[in-house]
Amino acid sequence: MKKSVLAFTLAASVLALSACSGNGSDDVVVKSKAGDITKDELYQEMKSSVGKQALQMLIIEDVLASKYEVTDKEVDEQFNKMKEQYGESFEQYLASQGHTEKSLKNTIRMNTLQEKALLEDVEVTDEEVKTYIENSKKEVNARHILVEDEATAKEVKDKLNSGGDFADLAKEYSTDPGSAENGGSVDWFGVDAQMVPEFIDTAFSLEKNEISEPVKSQYGYHIIQVTDIRDVESELDFEKDKEEIRKELAYKKADQTAFLEKVRKMIEDADVKIEDKDLKDALDSIMNAQA
């Protein structure tokens, strides 16, 4: 299972910015025959390179933490799980990501805060988890025709119902450049494929050679046909894996636009005032972003 990574999370090295802005700005952090580097010089350099992103992240962390709680126990559990997963290569993993143990825990805390805000109102039932596990035991080979609007989708579906050739109609109508020239084929895929959930859910509900009604997604309207189905091995178990699966399905259901609006509202309510003139527009990319 792959865990989603939200857009606000930054590399751990960015977190060091806040630690460089304390008292004693003339404190020397590097001494050499070529010259000394003070804490203030380091801060100014980091501010100019990653300051806006770092400040943005720290503000978001503060506003989220004012409503959602992440305990040290939660952070430690995720940290220890990662440490166990990487085993003897854990230190190598930290180095490759530019992390220390402390910065990794900071990142885990930030991710968990975002996760709680994002998934707050998302519900995944046991039946949905069981359906996912059952679908993990097969793969489907499918093709689709993607169009921009419902009227065109109904027109294409009527032509299919009247005996029209799926591949020819895909070449004529489909706006998906990756599959249109191949008759709409998207080849074999499993239930965990990186596709929009509406496409996955529909494809795995169809029988072989069945053609769906128009299905709306963020990309337009899909008409889907499953051309073949095959069995595959799956090690997923309801009791063992249900919470991880539940979280993954919740991520797929979650409304990212609503999450962005929630963060904006929390920032507005917090009455954030950025005093450093060089960082005044640090929040602009969030507050003015299009959905």
Side-chain angles (χ1 to χ4, degrees):
M1 302 284 292
K2 294 182 178 178
K3 184 174 180 181
S4 302
V5 179
L6 304 181
F8 294 145
T9 303
L10 302 175
S13 57
V14 174
L15 288 170
L17 178 66
S18 61
C20 297
S21 59
N23 296 326
S25 60
D26 291 331
D27 290 351
V28 175
V29 294
V30 174
K31 290 184 177 182
S32 76
K33 293 180 180 179
D36 297 342
I37 299 174
T38 66
K39 185 177 290 187
D40 185 62
E41 289 173 324
L42 177 60
Y43 170 69
Q44 292 299 328
E45 178 61 31
M46 295 184 72
K47 186 173 75 168
S48 65
S49 58
V50 297
K52 291 179 182 179
Q53 299 96 315
L55 185 59
Q56 180 185 104
M57 188 193 72
L58 292 169
I59 291 171
I60 293 168
E61 182 174 12
D62 281 348
V63 297
L64 291 178
S66 69
K67 180 176 180 180
Y68 305 99
E69 181 184 6
V70 177
T71 65
D72 290 342
K73 181 180 179 182
E74 289 177 280
V75 173
D76 288 341
E77 284 178 353
Q78 292 190 51
F79 177 85
N80 291 332
K81 187 181 293 186
M82 292 183 68
K83 195 170 184 178
E84 181 179 349
Q85 175 187 346
Y86 284 97
E88 294 181 356
S89 61
F90 181 66
E91 293 298 328
Q92 182 179 348
Y93 164 77
L94 289 177
S96 69
Q97 299 298 311
H99 273 305
T100 63
E101 290 193 3
K102 182 178 179 180
S103 69
L104 178 57
K105 288 184 177 183
N106 286 338
T107 300
I108 290 171
R109 186 178 300 277
M110 181 60 171
N111 282 343
T112 307
L113 279 171
Q114 294 177 60
E115 180 181 286
K116 289 188 176 187
L118 176 68
L119 305 183
E120 182 178 29
D121 302 316
V122 181
E123 180 182 359
V124 177
T125 66
D126 284 353
E127 286 306 310
E128 289 176 292
V129 174
K130 289 176 181 177
T131 297
Y132 182 93
I133 292 174
E134 192 60 32
N135 286 338
S136 72
K137 299 175 183 177
K138 63 182 180 181
E139 290 180 338
V140 300
N141 195 317
R143 54 186 181 177
H144 79 140
I145 300 170
L146 175 64
V147 297
E148 292 183 354
D149 57 83
E150 188 175 13
T152 306
K154 288 180 177 179
E155 178 185 336
V156 173
K157 186 65 164 70
D158 288 342
K159 289 187 176 183
L160 288 168
N161 290 341
S162 300
D165 183 78
F166 196 104
D168 289 343
L169 289 170
K171 291 178 181 179
E172 180 181 354
Y173 282 94
S174 186
T175 61
D176 177 7
S179 67
E181 290 305 311
N182 295 320
S185 175
V186 293
D187 212 345
W188 290 97
F189 59 91
V191 71
D192 59 348
Q194 297 300 305
M195 298 175 174
V196 289
E198 298 88 350
F199 191 101
I200 294 282
D201 292 344
T202 300
F204 277 82
S205 70
L206 297 173
E207 300 293 333
K208 183 177 178 180
N209 295 323
E210 185 180 359
I211 299 176
S212 75
E213 295 298 320
V215 178
K216 186 179 181 181
S217 81
Q218 67 191 72
Y219 298 110
Y221 289 81
H222 308 259
I223 298 170
I224 305 166
Q225 182 182 36
V226 168
T227 58
D228 205 356
I229 302 172
R230 65 188 180 193
D231 294 331
V232 294
E233 291 187 6
S234 173
E235 297 181 355
L236 293 179
D237 175 79
F238 180 75
E239 292 302 327
K240 178 170 66 72
D241 300 311
K242 62 182 178 181
E243 293 311 319
E244 186 177 359
I245 294 170
R246 195 187 309 278
K247 184 179 291 186
E248 186 70 16
L249 294 178
Y251 269 114
K252 291 182 178 181
K253 279 187 172 186
D255 187 336
Q256 298 279 352
T257 300
F259 171 70
L260 178 59
E261 290 303 322
K262 180 186 292 187
V263 171
R264 284 173 174 162
K265 181 66 166 55
M266 294 180 72
I267 291 173
E268 289 173 355
D269 291 345
D271 193 24
V272 175
K273 293 182 174 61
I274 299 174
E275 302 295 341
D276 190 317
K277 62 180 179 61
D278 296 327
L279 302 175
K280 279 288 186 184
D281 59 350
L283 292 174
D284 285 2
S285 62
I286 295 176
M287 304 307 288
N288 301 326
Q290 298 297 312

